[in-house]
Amino acid sequence: MTLTDSLKIVCVVGARPNFMKIAPLMRAFSREPGIKTTLVHTGQHYDEAMKASFFEQLDIPQPDVDLEVGSASHAVQTAEIMKRFEPEMERLSTGAVLVVGDVNSTIACALVAAKRGVPVIHVEAGLRSYDRGMPEEINRVLTDQLSDLLFTTERDAQQNLEREGIDAARIRFVGNVMIDTLLHNRKRCPEPGQVFAAFSVTERFSGSRGYGMLTLHRPSNVDDPQVLRSLLETIGDLSRSLPLLFPAHPRTRARIEAAGLGRILGEDVVLLPPLAYLDMLALMSGARVLLTDSGGIQEETTALGVPCITLRENTERPITVTAGTNSIVGTDPTLIRELFHEILTTGGKAGQMPELWDGRAAERIAADIVRWATDG
Ligand code: UD1
């Protein structure tokens, strides 16, 4: 393959957290004269609220190709992405396929590329929860095994990869592209009050007590009605001390409605639709605490210095606990309550910005890809 070929990069996005990661990469690639990109959206996420507003607010170029796969079971969705991506690869002359994160679109496109002998670049490599019950963990392990160039966000990731037999020469610690996006957009986002007004919740949320936020979407938390009921009861209790905003993923809202659980939240938890990026950033920045099972929010709260209570038994992002503001509590109501009240009393752990989360990860990645292509 010639140098010019290897700098023709097909960049893949599919689901909401991918959009925040691709935005700074597309910007950095556009500044490297040698790099030519084609953006493929698999269509894993397709709703206006889950997709369009992100492209618009984050200035992501419109995708060159939309595979429009939509929702399905894991096997069907992954297979459908592969089926639709392969002919596109045949059509496009491709030097490398770049995938981000750990969603089904990530593994599906990495697998198609690897089978065609096209180098795979993985951004956000090496994160491990060591919990194979998470579909994302399976996607992470397999994508990394297929990747030729692996960019990591924290130092522990390197050891995880080396333990799995991946050659250290292919791994680069560059920082966090999701935090590039956060730092780039921080000054562009509205005040929390403007978002309260847009959702007509000013009265309840702009008081001197402040407010907290909740997000939930992991299958392990929302798919079993008993687990979901217990979590929502606890959340309802907490909201009597601090009103909580709950932007709900479509999957979560559907599960709450199907199980008839909306009532147990009470009136101090306000369900919102999925939020546009800048609105979410505005509300997170002003919150006293976040409760979440999202990976991205563990990182974003660390970057913002806002305390985060992670409603999972593990994290693949340990730097958010060791350096940042994150605590892993699982789903035990007593532990959640204790930590929540401790945070309200003490303000939670101070935390610091992890190494290389400086807004320049995408620049480093672009420069590194040029070097990699040049060195053959
Ligand atoms: C996916 C990712 C997860 C990521 C999350 C962020 C995988 C395995 N999971 O989970 O890692 O944290 O995205 O949101 O790739 N739906 C809509 N509109 C949409 C998209 C989805 O209504 O635009 C609903 C559908 O009912 C769908 C369900 O949400 O069945 C789940 O969507 P899916 O993409 O399968 O997984 P997520 O839970 O979003």
Side-chain angles (χ1 to χ4, degrees):
M1 197 188 316
T2 66
L3 165 63
T4 346
D5 284 340
S6 48
L7 287 171
K8 283 185 187 157
I9 304 173
V10 170
C11 301
V12 175
V13 287
R16 185 169 57 177
N18 291 168
F19 306 142
M20 288 84 114
K21 294 169 195 167
I22 210 72
L25 289 167
M26 297 305 283
R27 209 166 38 245
F29 292 158
S30 73
R31 294 199 190 110
E32 287 287 350
I35 297 185
K36 299 269 170 294
T37 54
T38 303
L39 183 60
V40 174
H41 179 34
T42 65
Q44 178 175 345
H45 284 176
Y46 44 86
D47 278 352
E48 166 74 19
M50 302 291 281
K51 180 193 137 186
S53 63
F54 287 81
F55 275 78
E56 208 176 285
Q57 293 195 335
L58 301 179
D59 290 327
I60 305 169
Q62 278 310 303
D64 299 289
V65 177
D66 191 338
L67 303 178
E68 296 182 342
V69 293
S71 302
S73 70
H74 284 274
V76 171
Q77 186 175 62
T78 308
E80 201 55 49
I81 296 168
M82 291 177 69
K83 251 170 77 183
R84 296 184 192 197
F85 186 55
E86 187 168 48
E88 293 301 330
M89 284 207 63
E90 231 158 81
R91 195 173 65 77
L92 303 162
S93 72
T94 307
V97 169
L98 179 142
V99 293
V100 295
D102 55 13
V103 302
N104 287 344
S105 303
T106 311
I107 176 61
C109 294
L111 189 49
V112 172
K115 289 279 182 87
R116 294 182 65 85
V118 172
V120 176
I121 303 171
H122 186 203
V123 174
E124 199 187 86
L127 296 180
R128 296 290 180 271
S129 64
Y130 293 98
D131 173 4
R132 294 273 173 112
M134 277 180 89
E136 293 81 1
E137 181 74 356
I138 297 168
N139 295 343
R140 289 179 200 122
V141 171
L142 297 181
T143 303
D144 287 337
Q145 282 297 326
L146 299 172
S147 295
D148 298 86
L149 201 50
L150 300 96
F151 292 106
T152 63
T153 54
E154 52 181 278
R155 287 198 183 274
D156 281 3
Q158 171 113 9
Q159 284 146 36
N160 296 337
L161 291 169
E162 287 187 42
R163 211 176 291 132
E164 290 168 16
I166 291 167
D167 182 357
R170 288 194 267 140
I171 308 168
R172 279 93 161 128
F173 171 46
V174 287
N176 191 326
V177 287
M178 191 171 238
I179 302 308
D180 288 4
T181 292
L182 181 144
L183 297 174
H184 184 77
N185 287 288
R186 226 185 145 173
K187 292 205 178 75
R188 294 178 61 216
C189 70
E191 291 298 316
Q194 291 169 272
V195 188
F196 298 152
F199 288 101
S200 312
V201 295
T202 303
E203 223 165 279
R204 194 166 303 155
F205 286 88
S206 59
S208 58
R209 262 196 317 171
Y211 66 96
M213 292 185 77
L214 165 73
T215 80
L216 275 182
H217 75 284
R218 294 267 157 235
S220 57
N221 280 339
V222 304
D223 284 0
D224 177 338
Q226 272 178 349
V227 174
L228 183 60
R229 169 183 284 276
S230 161
L231 273 169
L232 296 183
E233 274 168 1
T234 309
I235 299 298
D237 275 2
L238 303 181
S239 71
R240 287 191 267 285
S241 312
L242 186 72
L244 296 172
L245 282 166
F246 182 8
H249 186 288
R251 163 197 211 104
T252 310
R253 187 179 281 268
R255 298 289 190 270
I256 292 175
E257 282 166 10
L261 293 173
R263 289 167 284 113
I264 58 179
L265 283 169
E267 59 177 25
D268 286 323
V269 181
V270 172
L271 271 166
L272 298 177
L275 295 176
Y277 181 78
L278 294 177
D279 289 351
M280 185 68 187
L281 183 55
L283 291 181
M284 283 198 295
S285 309
R288 287 177 70 187
V289 59
L290 261 285
L291 298 119
T292 193
D293 59 9
S294 149
I297 290 176
Q298 293 172 53
E299 295 183 338
E300 288 167 339
T301 45
T302 275
L304 292 168
V306 172
C308 180
I309 300 177
T310 294
L311 305 171
R312 284 173 44 190
E313 304 299 335
N314 50 52
T315 182
E316 61 288 338
R317 295 164 158 89
I319 196 75
T320 61
V321 177
T322 52
T325 56
N326 188 20
S327 306
I328 308 296
V329 296
T331 53
D332 182 294
T334 311
L335 294 179
I336 299 171
R337 274 194 206 101
E338 277 174 11
L339 182 59
F340 184 85
H341 290 293
E342 185 189 315
I343 288 171
L344 293 197
T345 314
T346 65
K349 26 180 191 172
Q352 61 192 30
M353 194 66 112
E355 188 181 359
L356 293 189
W357 290 21
D358 58 359
R360 305 190 59 187
E363 272 172 47
R364 286 191 275 270
I365 290 171
D368 207 280
I369 289 176
V370 173
R371 266 197 302 276
W372 165 78
T374 316
D375 295 348

